[in-house]
Structures are given as C-alpha cells and as structure tokens.
Amino acid sequence: MRKRLFGTNGIRGVVNETLTPQLALRVAEAIGTFFNSGEILLGYDGRTSSPALASAVASGLAATSCTVYLAGMAPTPAIQYAVKNHRFDGGVIITASHNPPEYNGIKVLGNDGVEISRSQEIEIEEIFFEEKQKRAEWNKIGEIRKLPNIIEEYIEAIKKHVDVEKIREKQFKVVVDPGNGVGGLAAPRLLRELGCKVFTINANIDGTFPSRPSEPRPENLGDLAAIVRALNADFGVAYDGDADRAIFVDETGVIHWGDRTFALIEKEFLKQNPGETIVTPVSSSTLIKDVAEAYNGKVVWTKVGSVDVSHKMKEINAKLGGEENGGVFYAPHQPVRDGAMTTALILEILAKTGRKLSELLNELPKYFIEKDKVECPENLKEKVLEVLYEELERENLKFDTIDGAKIWFSDCSILVRPSGTEPIFRLYAEAKTREKALELIKEYKEKLSQIIAKVT
Ligand code: MG
C-alpha cells in the first residue's frame, strides 16, 4: 500500500505526536512545490496549536518561493471565499474542524477555494515522500504579506445571496453557539447586519473547547436549546470548530440533525429552481430523495466526504449540496460547506414563509435511523463487498455501489459501508418505524458476518 498524508479531510493528527511543526514545514514545502511559486492564502482556526503550525507552513511555502498572504484566524469558509475572491493560486488552512482539541490539520485549497482533488493530493504526497521539494535560491524566497478584512468581505458576499430587506423586516431573535470555535468571528456580525437580535453563548475563542465538544451534536447542545426557550428566540444555531457546519435548534428547543435542515433548504430551493440537481453523500437520509421527488428535483449521490460533494457539484454545475452532519453547500456563493451561509438561507426561509422553524421542519417526512457496525479485517473488505454485491444481485435488489452498498427498498434503505479509518463495516438503516430499521440492521449484520466468515 502506498504511503499517505491526506485522509478524508486533509492532513490530520495529534499535535506534537503525529503532527509537529517540523512535519508541517516539510508538507508546506511539498505544497509550495506543487503550486510552483504561486500566491497562496494561509489562514487558521482557533486551536491552541494553530498559530505555531501556520508559522511553519508559511516558512515552507515561502522557502519554495510562493508568496504567502496571511489571513489570520477565520472561519474555514471565509478563507475559502477569500481564495476565490482575491484570485489566489491556492490556499492552506490550519484546522482540525470538529476534532478534539489535541488535534490539528492542514487543508489545501485550489484557486477556487475548494479542497484540491484526490489526484492532486497524490501529487503533493509524491513530492513529499520522494523529496522532490524545490527549495528556492536565497534571493527567490517568497514574501510573507498580510491580507486584512477577509471576514468583512465574506459577510458582504453572503448578504448578496439572500433577501436582506425581507429578513431585516422580521427582526429575528437568534441564539448563536460557536462552541468556542471561530464561528464567533463571522456569524453574530452577519446576523446583526441582517437585523437580528443576536445572543451568543460559548462565543469566546478557546482552543481547549471548554464548553462543549467542537462537533455540535444533539447530545451536547442542551444549553443552547434551554437558552432559546428561555429567551423566546426564533431559533438557535451551533457551529463546529471551523464553522463550516451548522446545527439548528427550533423555537421550541428541539434540536434537529443536519439532514432535516438541509431538506428544508432543499425544498425551498427546488420550489424556486425546479429541475435542479441536489448533490449529497449516500449516507444522507432518504428525506433528501423524497423532497427532490416531491419538488421536481434530481439527486446525485456521492461517496461520503465533503470533498466528494464539492467536486461533484463543480463537475455537474449543481447549485445545492448537503450532508447529514449540518454541512450545506450553496454554489451561487461557493460549492463548499458554509455555516454562516446556511444560517442566512434559513433566515430567508423563515422571512419568506412567515412560519416557525418547528412547523417547517415537522412537516417533512419522518424517518428512524439506526446505526451499527461489524468488524472486518482491512484486507477482506474488498472481497466482502464483492460477495455482497453478488448476493444482492441474485436477490434482485435495487442497490448503488457508490460507497459500499446502499440498498433501496420501497419504504426503507440500508447503507453498508467499509470505514475508511477503522477495520469495520458501518451500517446505517433508515425506515418509517424504529422496529423496521432495527430489523434491517439485524438482517444485514447477519448477512455481513456470514460473508466475512465465508471469505476468511
Ligand atoms: Mg468543520
């Protein structure tokens, strides 16, 4: 197996264990060589290690004669937007998104602000492992400059994509929970400019994430839900550490998982843009398909991973994409996950429909989701999938093979997917009743175990 630096979301590791400033510098020399003396924007999230790693990356990029522009601390989507807006050749973000505080990572962006493709990652890995870094002569070292104001420009850009007047008229009351991440730098300001009365919790940037884990999940947003209710707010919104994902709490204090808010955005989008294609990973809820069918849209499924969604959207020129974890991609702004843009879209929907968030979300079809896993040695995964496909074909079942096997039944579905990081298969079943979802899980766990026993 070839050596790899990049995982599903850039290069990630525990700081000063698997990800040291030294490694960051060497990786940056490979990135700089890949960009061939280009102009590169560099920014970072609020983690304690981010400034140190960013300095190392700046040095490596400059050493390979790139001109480095420092954006400083900012939400990931703000840095992505700035790369496109200022026509840089590429960008680098120091972030580990929603991972625990001891982690950090390096994300590489192309000239449109979207993460580079898998094949470009391999090019960088080749430069790195074969030590083909092109260090410049002493008089060709790149300059390191500052680029101020990217957050202001980002906020202005988002406002161009929603009906600002209509939102302002409503004077919404919103509670924002950035979870001590960089979301606090953009969203509260954007919402105030949209005429909202904004309350914040956990808005001080603290890379130790003292208030809640940096991944917003229903089980850790209780404080936000309680404050939304106590203040009689229209809704609450929580961001992950680098603010590309948004999870919403309705005015009654109910926390909704990302596929439901994505489906709401999808519905209103398709009403305005019938016939459009929606891009989403195979792990997303059937809800996305139901809404597309009901409102004259098409769904294109991708592998699990935001980079796959972004690249598919670019390839087929799709305007809207989304993930179940709260990542919404709105391409008229940029085809990447963007927490503040997502919040503006929800505000616009509330303003235009004049209805409560709970009402809008509760009228969407309801599904029960059950998850489980089956252990399987890494070297057997491929063979197991092959046999599973053969069996599904023999049984005449309808299934997709985009990422594992997604098997469609008339009123339920199950995804059986090899994990990219652990020696397991993950199972996600979805049905109209909890019993049916559990039944599906049981059936496919058995099937998978039998296949694994057979091929061992
Ligand atoms: Mg993130």
Side-chain angles (χ1 to χ4, degrees):
M1 242 165 81
R2 46 183 307 275
K3 281 195 275 187
R4 295 234 49 185
L5 281 172
F6 289 88
T8 35
N9 253 306
I11 298 164
R12 292 267 170 98
V14 173
V15 174
N16 277 355
E17 286 182 20
T18 49
L19 180 55
T20 60
Q22 236 170 343
L23 177 76
L25 186 136
R26 284 183 50 223
V27 168
E29 286 177 335
I31 296 168
T33 304
F34 170 81
F35 281 112
N36 201 11
S37 358
E39 296 195 317
I40 308 296
L41 183 66
L42 172 63
Y44 53 86
D45 70 10
R47 287 169 187 270
T48 52
S49 56
S50 291
L53 290 169
S55 300
V57 167
S59 300
L61 292 172
T64 44
S65 76
C66 289
T67 309
V68 184
Y69 287 80
L70 304 174
M73 192 188 286
T76 287
I79 299 165
Q80 293 182 289
Y81 177 74
V83 168
K84 177 174 78 162
N85 185 35
H86 287 270
R87 299 173 194 275
F88 287 112
D89 297 298
V92 178
I93 308 176
I94 309 301
T95 178
S97 180
H98 60 278
N99 286 156
E102 62 272 24
Y103 282 81
N104 215 330
I106 302 170
K107 207 192 246 288
V108 186
L109 313 173
N111 63 3
D112 54 359
V114 176
E115 288 97 330
I116 56 169
S117 66
R118 298 286 176 220
S119 62
Q120 290 171 316
E121 288 176 355
I122 291 170
E123 280 181 52
I124 291 174
E125 286 170 345
E126 268 170 17
I127 297 167
F128 179 86
F129 289 115
E130 292 168 25
E131 297 190 35
K132 290 191 206 151
Q133 297 88 332
K134 284 192 204 139
R135 288 184 197 102
E137 304 266 319
W138 66 272
N139 55 356
K140 303 262 168 39
I141 299 264
E143 278 182 47
I144 300 181
R145 300 173 186 161
K146 284 209 165 109
L147 183 76
N149 301 330
I150 70 157
I151 294 174
E152 289 81 349
E153 291 163 2
Y154 166 69
I155 290 171
E156 284 310 309
I158 290 174
K159 281 158 58 185
K160 290 198 186 94
H161 295 284
V162 289
D163 190 335
V164 174
E165 281 322 302
K166 205 152 212 150
I167 297 171
R168 275 197 184 134
E169 275 169 24
K170 300 281 181 177
Q171 301 180 6
F172 290 113
K173 197 192 266 190
V174 183
V175 187
V176 177
D177 174 5
N180 304 109
V182 284
L185 295 173
R189 199 143 133 202
L190 167 70
L191 297 188
R192 282 187 192 108
E193 290 182 22
L194 289 172
C196 300
K197 183 153 196 203
V198 182
F199 297 86
T200 54
I201 62 166
N202 310 325
N204 56 315
I205 294 172
D206 185 335
T208 67
F209 302 118
S211 315
R212 64 161 170 86
S214 68
E215 176 167 34
R217 298 192 59 87
E219 58 272 24
N220 61 38
L221 299 181
D223 288 351
L224 175 62
I227 292 170
V228 166
R229 271 197 314 270
L231 292 175
N232 233 332
D234 291 288
F235 66 89
V237 57
Y239 302 107
D240 74 325
D242 66 334
D244 55 355
R245 285 160 50 179
I247 294 291
F248 292 82
V249 177
D250 72 28
E251 81 287 355
T252 69
V254 173
I255 303 158
H256 294 268
W257 193 229
D259 43 12
R260 299 193 67 76
T261 37
F262 171 44
L264 174 61
I265 291 170
E266 178 194 10
K267 179 176 161 180
E268 298 303 320
F269 172 79
L270 285 174
K271 279 191 195 167
Q272 307 295 322
N273 305 274
E276 284 286 341
T277 300
I278 310 299
V279 180
T280 197
V282 283
S283 55
S284 289
S285 172
T286 312
L287 188 52
I288 307 307
K289 185 167 85 105
D290 294 348
V291 170
E293 279 166 4
Y295 294 91
N296 231 332
K298 288 189 288 283
V299 176
V300 168
W301 304 95
T302 68
K303 278 181 186 295
V304 176
S306 66
V307 182
D308 293 282
V309 176
S310 290
H311 283 268
K312 181 54 82 177
M313 288 179 71
K314 274 169 54 178
E315 184 195 318
I316 64 173
N317 227 336
K319 292 196 182 76
L320 183 67
E323 296 175 313
E324 40 88 47
N325 58 22
V328 173
F329 309 59
Y330 188 63
H333 170 52
Q334 53 179 352
V336 299
R337 300 191 285 209
D338 189 322
M341 183 72 239
T342 307
T343 312
L345 290 171
I346 291 287
L347 279 170
E348 188 180 51
I349 291 169
L350 294 182
K352 282 190 169 166
T353 60
R355 299 181 63 201
K356 301 278 186 203
L357 187 57
S358 67
E359 293 168 18
L360 293 165
L361 289 168
N362 291 341
E363 65 191 20
L364 295 168
K366 199 157 175 63
Y367 283 95
F368 290 87
I369 296 171
E370 290 294 331
K371 298 179 184 177
D372 213 326
K373 58 190 173 191
V374 173
E375 281 179 27
C376 174
E378 205 58 50
N379 59 340
L380 293 183
K381 280 180 177 172
E382 215 171 300
K383 184 72 199 157
V384 169
L385 263 185
E386 252 174 59
V387 177
L388 177 65
Y389 292 160
E390 284 166 18
E391 289 196 7
L392 295 173
E393 235 154 65
R394 242 194 332 268
E395 290 170 48
N396 246 326
L397 291 171
K398 189 170 165 245
F399 66 100
D400 284 324
T401 58
I402 296 155
D403 201 347
K406 174 116 177 180
I407 309 140
W408 298 98
F409 304 94
S410 59
D411 60 346
C412 56
S413 68
I414 184 163
L415 172 68
V416 179
R417 179 180 164 260
S419 160
T421 49
E422 292 170 71
I424 54 169
F425 272 93
R426 291 187 192 282
L427 290 82
Y428 312 70
E430 199 181 27
K432 295 275 184 192
T433 63
R434 173 151 291 133
E435 296 69 41
K436 179 70 200 170
L438 286 168
E439 207 178 285
L440 267 178
I441 287 276
K442 187 165 172 274
E443 184 188 339
Y444 276 84
K445 258 182 101 168
E446 273 168 25
K447 192 191 273 294
L448 212 53
S449 303
Q450 282 166 7
I451 297 175
I452 293 166
K454 202 159 90 182
V455 303
T456 302

PDB file of all heavy atoms in Angstrom, residues 115-135:
ATOM      1  N   GLU A 115     -11.332  22.414  -1.712  1.00  0.00           N
ATOM      2  CA  GLU A 115     -10.240  21.497  -1.405  1.00  0.00           C
ATOM      3  C   GLU A 115      -9.760  20.831  -2.695  1.00  0.00           C
ATOM      4  O   GLU A 115     -10.573  20.464  -3.543  1.00  0.00           O
ATOM      5  CB  GLU A 115     -10.689  20.386  -0.443  1.00  0.00           C
ATOM      6  CG  GLU A 115     -10.931  20.855   0.973  1.00  0.00           C
ATOM      7  CD  GLU A 115     -12.400  21.153   1.264  1.00  0.00           C
ATOM      8  OE1 GLU A 115     -13.132  21.559   0.324  1.00  0.00           O
ATOM      9  OE2 GLU A 115     -12.823  20.987   2.422  1.00  0.00           O
ATOM     10  N   ILE A 116      -8.447  20.636  -2.815  1.00  0.00           N
ATOM     11  CA  ILE A 116      -7.897  20.009  -4.020  1.00  0.00           C
ATOM     12  C   ILE A 116      -8.435  18.583  -4.166  1.00  0.00           C
ATOM     13  O   ILE A 116      -8.898  17.983  -3.209  1.00  0.00           O
ATOM     14  CB  ILE A 116      -6.347  20.010  -4.006  1.00  0.00           C
ATOM     15  CG1 ILE A 116      -5.825  19.321  -2.736  1.00  0.00           C
ATOM     16  CG2 ILE A 116      -5.808  21.414  -4.143  1.00  0.00           C
ATOM     17  CD1 ILE A 116      -4.349  19.055  -2.756  1.00  0.00           C
ATOM     18  N   SER A 117      -8.328  18.058  -5.401  1.00  0.00           N
ATOM     19  CA  SER A 117      -8.875  16.729  -5.688  1.00  0.00           C
ATOM     20  C   SER A 117      -7.959  15.642  -5.133  1.00  0.00           C
ATOM     21  O   SER A 117      -6.819  15.899  -4.759  1.00  0.00           O
ATOM     22  CB  SER A 117      -9.013  16.556  -7.200  1.00  0.00           C
ATOM     23  OG  SER A 117      -7.734  16.542  -7.786  1.00  0.00           O
ATOM     24  N   ARG A 118      -8.489  14.417  -5.098  1.00  0.00           N
ATOM     25  CA  ARG A 118      -7.694  13.279  -4.612  1.00  0.00           C
ATOM     26  C   ARG A 118      -6.417  13.129  -5.438  1.00  0.00           C
ATOM     27  O   ARG A 118      -5.353  12.810  -4.908  1.00  0.00           O
ATOM     28  CB  ARG A 118      -8.515  11.993  -4.700  1.00  0.00           C
ATOM     29  CG  ARG A 118      -9.769  11.994  -3.845  1.00  0.00           C
ATOM     30  CD  ARG A 118      -9.486  11.842  -2.354  1.00  0.00           C
ATOM     31  NE  ARG A 118     -10.713  11.945  -1.567  1.00  0.00           N
ATOM     32  CZ  ARG A 118     -10.812  12.582  -0.410  1.00  0.00           C
ATOM     33  NH1 ARG A 118      -9.786  13.203   0.124  1.00  0.00           N
ATOM     34  NH2 ARG A 118     -11.954  12.603   0.238  1.00  0.00           N
ATOM     35  N   SER A 119      -6.499  13.325  -6.753  1.00  0.00           N
ATOM     36  CA  SER A 119      -5.300  13.123  -7.586  1.00  0.00           C
ATOM     37  C   SER A 119      -4.266  14.216  -7.304  1.00  0.00           C
ATOM     38  O   SER A 119      -3.056  13.974  -7.354  1.00  0.00           O
ATOM     39  CB  SER A 119      -5.666  13.048  -9.062  1.00  0.00           C
ATOM     40  OG  SER A 119      -6.240  14.262  -9.464  1.00  0.00           O
ATOM     41  N   GLN A 120      -4.729  15.424  -6.982  1.00  0.00           N
ATOM     42  CA  GLN A 120      -3.770  16.489  -6.624  1.00  0.00           C
ATOM     43  C   GLN A 120      -3.127  16.210  -5.264  1.00  0.00           C
ATOM     44  O   GLN A 120      -1.954  16.507  -5.060  1.00  0.00           O
ATOM     45  CB  GLN A 120      -4.484  17.840  -6.629  1.00  0.00           C
ATOM     46  CG  GLN A 120      -4.853  18.282  -8.036  1.00  0.00           C
ATOM     47  CD  GLN A 120      -5.743  19.505  -8.041  1.00  0.00           C
ATOM     48  OE1 GLN A 120      -6.692  19.610  -7.262  1.00  0.00           O
ATOM     49  NE2 GLN A 120      -5.449  20.444  -8.922  1.00  0.00           N
ATOM     50  N   GLU A 121      -3.900  15.613  -4.357  1.00  0.00           N
ATOM     51  CA  GLU A 121      -3.318  15.215  -3.059  1.00  0.00           C
ATOM     52  C   GLU A 121      -2.178  14.226  -3.297  1.00  0.00           C
ATOM     53  O   GLU A 121      -1.116  14.309  -2.667  1.00  0.00           O
ATOM     54  CB  GLU A 121      -4.379  14.532  -2.180  1.00  0.00           C
ATOM     55  CG  GLU A 121      -5.420  15.475  -1.619  1.00  0.00           C
ATOM     56  CD  GLU A 121      -6.513  14.756  -0.829  1.00  0.00           C
ATOM     57  OE1 GLU A 121      -6.517  13.509  -0.796  1.00  0.00           O
ATOM     58  OE2 GLU A 121      -7.371  15.443  -0.249  1.00  0.00           O
ATOM     59  N   ILE A 122      -2.411  13.298  -4.226  1.00  0.00           N
ATOM     60  CA  ILE A 122      -1.376  12.290  -4.509  1.00  0.00           C
ATOM     61  C   ILE A 122      -0.126  12.948  -5.083  1.00  0.00           C
ATOM     62  O   ILE A 122       0.996  12.575  -4.740  1.00  0.00           O
ATOM     63  CB  ILE A 122      -1.958  11.189  -5.432  1.00  0.00           C
ATOM     64  CG1 ILE A 122      -2.991  10.373  -4.634  1.00  0.00           C
ATOM     65  CG2 ILE A 122      -0.872  10.278  -6.003  1.00  0.00           C
ATOM     66  CD1 ILE A 122      -3.826   9.419  -5.432  1.00  0.00           C
ATOM     67  N   GLU A 123      -0.315  13.981  -5.920  1.00  0.00           N
ATOM     68  CA  GLU A 123       0.850  14.701  -6.459  1.00  0.00           C
ATOM     69  C   GLU A 123       1.687  15.305  -5.318  1.00  0.00           C
ATOM     70  O   GLU A 123       2.909  15.225  -5.320  1.00  0.00           O
ATOM     71  CB  GLU A 123       0.404  15.841  -7.373  1.00  0.00           C
ATOM     72  CG  GLU A 123       0.017  15.401  -8.771  1.00  0.00           C
ATOM     73  CD  GLU A 123      -0.397  16.604  -9.624  1.00  0.00           C
ATOM     74  OE1 GLU A 123       0.364  17.585  -9.706  1.00  0.00           O
ATOM     75  OE2 GLU A 123      -1.529  16.555 -10.168  1.00  0.00           O
ATOM     76  N   ILE A 124       0.992  15.897  -4.340  1.00  0.00           N
ATOM     77  CA  ILE A 124       1.701  16.504  -3.199  1.00  0.00           C
ATOM     78  C   ILE A 124       2.399  15.414  -2.377  1.00  0.00           C
ATOM     79  O   ILE A 124       3.553  15.582  -1.954  1.00  0.00           O
ATOM     80  CB  ILE A 124       0.731  17.340  -2.328  1.00  0.00           C
ATOM     81  CG1 ILE A 124       0.291  18.573  -3.114  1.00  0.00           C
ATOM     82  CG2 ILE A 124       1.380  17.742  -0.999  1.00  0.00           C
ATOM     83  CD1 ILE A 124      -0.779  19.414  -2.429  1.00  0.00           C
ATOM     84  N   GLU A 125       1.730  14.305  -2.200  1.00  0.00           N
ATOM     85  CA  GLU A 125       2.338  13.194  -1.454  1.00  0.00           C
ATOM     86  C   GLU A 125       3.584  12.673  -2.158  1.00  0.00           C
ATOM     87  O   GLU A 125       4.579  12.336  -1.519  1.00  0.00           O
ATOM     88  CB  GLU A 125       1.315  12.061  -1.275  1.00  0.00           C
ATOM     89  CG  GLU A 125       0.257  12.407  -0.237  1.00  0.00           C
ATOM     90  CD  GLU A 125      -0.902  11.436  -0.207  1.00  0.00           C
ATOM     91  OE1 GLU A 125      -1.075  10.653  -1.152  1.00  0.00           O
ATOM     92  OE2 GLU A 125      -1.660  11.461   0.791  1.00  0.00           O
ATOM     93  N   GLU A 126       3.533  12.623  -3.487  1.00  0.00           N
ATOM     94  CA  GLU A 126       4.715  12.158  -4.231  1.00  0.00           C
ATOM     95  C   GLU A 126       5.894  13.095  -4.026  1.00  0.00           C
ATOM     96  O   GLU A 126       7.024  12.667  -3.815  1.00  0.00           O
ATOM     97  CB  GLU A 126       4.386  12.028  -5.725  1.00  0.00           C
ATOM     98  CG  GLU A 126       3.918  10.613  -6.033  1.00  0.00           C
ATOM     99  CD  GLU A 126       3.350  10.488  -7.446  1.00  0.00           C
ATOM    100  OE1 GLU A 126       3.614  11.382  -8.280  1.00  0.00           O
ATOM    101  OE2 GLU A 126       2.621   9.498  -7.659  1.00  0.00           O
ATOM    102  N   ILE A 127       5.622  14.402  -4.104  1.00  0.00           N
ATOM    103  CA  ILE A 127       6.689  15.382  -3.878  1.00  0.00           C
ATOM    104  C   ILE A 127       7.260  15.184  -2.470  1.00  0.00           C
ATOM    105  O   ILE A 127       8.471  15.172  -2.263  1.00  0.00           O
ATOM    106  CB  ILE A 127       6.154  16.830  -4.039  1.00  0.00           C
ATOM    107  CG1 ILE A 127       5.661  17.062  -5.456  1.00  0.00           C
ATOM    108  CG2 ILE A 127       7.231  17.844  -3.657  1.00  0.00           C
ATOM    109  CD1 ILE A 127       4.831  18.333  -5.635  1.00  0.00           C
ATOM    110  N   PHE A 128       6.366  14.964  -1.508  1.00  0.00           N
ATOM    111  CA  PHE A 128       6.778  14.831  -0.109  1.00  0.00           C
ATOM    112  C   PHE A 128       7.605  13.567   0.100  1.00  0.00           C
ATOM    113  O   PHE A 128       8.740  13.634   0.594  1.00  0.00           O
ATOM    114  CB  PHE A 128       5.529  14.808   0.781  1.00  0.00           C
ATOM    115  CG  PHE A 128       5.822  14.656   2.245  1.00  0.00           C
ATOM    116  CD1 PHE A 128       6.096  15.763   3.034  1.00  0.00           C
ATOM    117  CD2 PHE A 128       5.826  13.401   2.845  1.00  0.00           C
ATOM    118  CE1 PHE A 128       6.357  15.631   4.391  1.00  0.00           C
ATOM    119  CE2 PHE A 128       6.085  13.255   4.202  1.00  0.00           C
ATOM    120  CZ  PHE A 128       6.361  14.372   4.979  1.00  0.00           C
ATOM    121  N   PHE A 129       7.073  12.416  -0.284  1.00  0.00           N
ATOM    122  CA  PHE A 129       7.756  11.153   0.029  1.00  0.00           C
ATOM    123  C   PHE A 129       9.008  10.939  -0.836  1.00  0.00           C
ATOM    124  O   PHE A 129       9.968  10.328  -0.393  1.00  0.00           O
ATOM    125  CB  PHE A 129       6.792   9.970  -0.114  1.00  0.00           C
ATOM    126  CG  PHE A 129       5.757   9.924   0.973  1.00  0.00           C
ATOM    127  CD1 PHE A 129       4.408  10.085   0.694  1.00  0.00           C
ATOM    128  CD2 PHE A 129       6.127   9.733   2.306  1.00  0.00           C
ATOM    129  CE1 PHE A 129       3.448  10.056   1.693  1.00  0.00           C
ATOM    130  CE2 PHE A 129       5.172   9.700   3.326  1.00  0.00           C
ATOM    131  CZ  PHE A 129       3.826   9.863   3.014  1.00  0.00           C
ATOM    132  N   GLU A 130       8.987  11.457  -2.052  1.00  0.00           N
ATOM    133  CA  GLU A 130      10.173  11.284  -2.917  1.00  0.00           C
ATOM    134  C   GLU A 130      11.133  12.466  -2.773  1.00  0.00           C
ATOM    135  O   GLU A 130      12.090  12.585  -3.522  1.00  0.00           O
ATOM    136  CB  GLU A 130       9.727  11.099  -4.367  1.00  0.00           C
ATOM    137  CG  GLU A 130       9.005   9.764  -4.561  1.00  0.00           C
ATOM    138  CD  GLU A 130       8.289   9.662  -5.915  1.00  0.00           C
ATOM    139  OE1 GLU A 130       8.708  10.352  -6.861  1.00  0.00           O
ATOM    140  OE2 GLU A 130       7.304   8.901  -5.975  1.00  0.00           O
ATOM    141  N   GLU A 131      10.851  13.330  -1.825  1.00  0.00           N
ATOM    142  CA  GLU A 131      11.672  14.506  -1.522  1.00  0.00           C
ATOM    143  C   GLU A 131      12.022  15.331  -2.751  1.00  0.00           C
ATOM    144  O   GLU A 131      13.179  15.629  -3.017  1.00  0.00           O
ATOM    145  CB  GLU A 131      12.922  14.059  -0.747  1.00  0.00           C
ATOM    146  CG  GLU A 131      12.485  13.446   0.585  1.00  0.00           C
ATOM    147  CD  GLU A 131      13.641  13.195   1.545  1.00  0.00           C
ATOM    148  OE1 GLU A 131      14.582  13.999   1.538  1.00  0.00           O
ATOM    149  OE2 GLU A 131      13.550  12.203   2.289  1.00  0.00           O
ATOM    150  N   LYS A 132      10.974  15.673  -3.492  1.00  0.00           N
ATOM    151  CA  LYS A 132      11.176  16.482  -4.700  1.00  0.00           C
ATOM    152  C   LYS A 132      10.863  17.963  -4.444  1.00  0.00           C
ATOM    153  O   LYS A 132      10.562  18.707  -5.378  1.00  0.00           O
ATOM    154  CB  LYS A 132      10.248  15.970  -5.803  1.00  0.00           C
ATOM    155  CG  LYS A 132      10.628  14.594  -6.357  1.00  0.00           C
ATOM    156  CD  LYS A 132       9.794  14.364  -7.622  1.00  0.00           C
ATOM    157  CE  LYS A 132       9.588  12.898  -7.909  1.00  0.00           C
ATOM    158  NZ  LYS A 132       8.324  12.664  -8.619  1.00  0.00           N
ATOM    159  N   GLN A 133      10.905  18.373  -3.157  1.00  0.00           N
ATOM    160  CA  GLN A 133      10.647  19.783  -2.846  1.00  0.00           C
ATOM    161  C   GLN A 133      11.670  20.668  -3.562  1.00  0.00           C
ATOM    162  O   GLN A 133      12.868  20.398  -3.502  1.00  0.00           O
ATOM    163  CB  GLN A 133      10.763  20.051  -1.334  1.00  0.00           C
ATOM    164  CG  GLN A 133       9.765  19.318  -0.476  1.00  0.00           C
ATOM    165  CD  GLN A 133      10.231  17.939  -0.042  1.00  0.00           C
ATOM    166  OE1 GLN A 133      11.018  17.289  -0.738  1.00  0.00           O
ATOM    167  NE2 GLN A 133       9.742  17.471   1.096  1.00  0.00           N
ATOM    168  N   LYS A 134      11.160  21.742  -4.191  1.00  0.00           N
ATOM    169  CA  LYS A 134      12.071  22.666  -4.897  1.00  0.00           C
ATOM    170  C   LYS A 134      12.327  23.870  -4.007  1.00  0.00           C
ATOM    171  O   LYS A 134      11.620  24.882  -4.094  1.00  0.00           O
ATOM    172  CB  LYS A 134      11.426  23.134  -6.206  1.00  0.00           C
ATOM    173  CG  LYS A 134      11.461  22.075  -7.305  1.00  0.00           C
ATOM    174  CD  LYS A 134      11.079  22.740  -8.634  1.00  0.00           C
ATOM    175  CE  LYS A 134      10.543  21.700  -9.590  1.00  0.00           C
ATOM    176  NZ  LYS A 134       9.384  22.152 -10.342  1.00  0.00           N
ATOM    177  N   ARG A 135      13.378  23.784  -3.174  1.00  0.00           N
ATOM    178  CA  ARG A 135      13.697  24.937  -2.332  1.00  0.00           C
ATOM    179  C   ARG A 135      14.358  26.013  -3.193  1.00  0.00           C
ATOM    180  O   ARG A 135      15.202  25.701  -4.024  1.00  0.00           O
ATOM    181  CB  ARG A 135      14.616  24.514  -1.181  1.00  0.00           C
ATOM    182  CG  ARG A 135      13.858  23.700  -0.151  1.00  0.00           C
ATOM    183  CD  ARG A 135      14.657  23.313   1.057  1.00  0.00           C
ATOM    184  NE  ARG A 135      13.934  22.219   1.707  1.00  0.00           N
ATOM    185  CZ  ARG A 135      14.269  20.936   1.622  1.00  0.00           C
ATOM    186  NH1 ARG A 135      15.363  20.581   0.979  1.00  0.00           N
ATOM    187  NH2 ARG A 135      13.540  20.012   2.195  1.00  0.00           N
TER     188      ARG A 135
END
